[in-house]
Amino acid sequence: MSKFESSVKQIPYAQQSVYEKLSDLSNIEKVKDHLPEDKAQDLEFTTDSISISVAPVGKIQLQIIEREEPKTIKFETVQSPMPFNLWIQLLPTSETSSKMKLTIKADINPFIKGMISKPLQEGLEKIADMLAMIPYDSE
């Protein structure tokens, strides 16, 4: 099992506010216009799932499989060329701010691991950057 982690992102909103927004993915749909277009192409959301088209691999869809309020949201792939799990971990840094880290665990064939490790790490970092930009206090 291979593990990839984003850097820790500081978020100027309380842990509970961030958790409430991210635990219902339809909330992200409402703030999609605030996200940079180059980081939010072909995104689709429901309450429990997110899908995105990624060239050249195609569509990837993730479904929430576990919520642990207010600190963890766990996802697994529904549609993907490579099955993996994704965790969003949230920790408070004060009453009005928090920090977030994303982790992917995937069972990767050793022959292709060298080819996909860097793009997977970069993609994870972009997702973390995108989630850190969301205004968690607006509806």
Side-chain angles (χ1 to χ4, degrees), residues 3-23:
K3 184 175 178 179
F4 301 87
E5 295 180 330
S6 72
S7 58
V8 175
K9 304 296 180 185
Q10 298 298 322
I11 301 176
Y13 297 96
Q15 177 188 23
Q16 187 67 38
S17 298
V18 176
Y19 176 85
E20 287 172 5
K21 181 87 60 166
L22 293 179
S23 65

Side-chain angles (χ1 to χ4, degrees), residues 39-53:
K39 293 186 175 152
Q41 293 180 347
D42 299 324
L43 283 171
E44 296 176 19
F45 302 93
T46 68
T47 300
D48 294 318
S49 69
I50 179 172
S51 65
I52 185 169
S53 293

Side-chain angles (χ1 to χ4, degrees), residues 10-126:
Q10 298 298 322
I11 301 176
Y13 297 96
Q15 177 188 23
Q16 187 67 38
S17 298
V18 176
Y19 176 85
E20 287 172 5
K21 181 87 60 166
L22 293 179
S23 65
D24 179 351
L25 296 173
S26 62
N27 288 326
I28 300 173
E29 181 75 41
K30 298 171 192 169
V31 298
K32 195 163 72 170
D33 295 340
H34 297 282
L35 303 174
E37 285 184 29
D38 64 325
K39 293 186 175 152
Q41 293 180 347
D42 299 324
L43 283 171
E44 296 176 19
F45 302 93
T46 68
T47 300
D48 294 318
S49 69
I50 179 172
S51 65
I52 185 169
S53 293
V54 180
V57 295
K59 189 172 186 174
I60 295 174
Q61 184 176 5
L62 294 165
Q63 174 111 15
I64 294 177
I65 57 168
E66 185 180 330
R67 293 172 175 93
E68 188 178 342
E69 187 172 354
K71 58 185 179 178
T72 310
I73 305 166
K74 294 182 181 181
F75 299 80
E76 71 180 8
T77 53
V78 175
Q79 179 179 347
S80 172
M82 177 188 71
F84 63 89
N85 291 333
L86 169 73
W87 286 262
I88 299 175
Q89 296 164 287
L90 302 166
L91 289 171
T93 54
S94 74
E95 285 189 19
T96 59
S97 65
S98 54
K99 58 186 179 179
M100 173 185 63
K101 182 173 81 170
L102 275 56
T103 303
I104 286 180
K105 286 190 179 174
D107 198 5
I108 302 174
N109 178 319
F111 295 110
I112 64 167
K113 185 176 180 180
M115 292 185 291
I116 67 167
S117 289
K118 185 177 179 189
L120 190 57
Q121 184 67 48
E122 289 171 353
L124 184 63
E125 205 61 43
K126 286 180 182 176

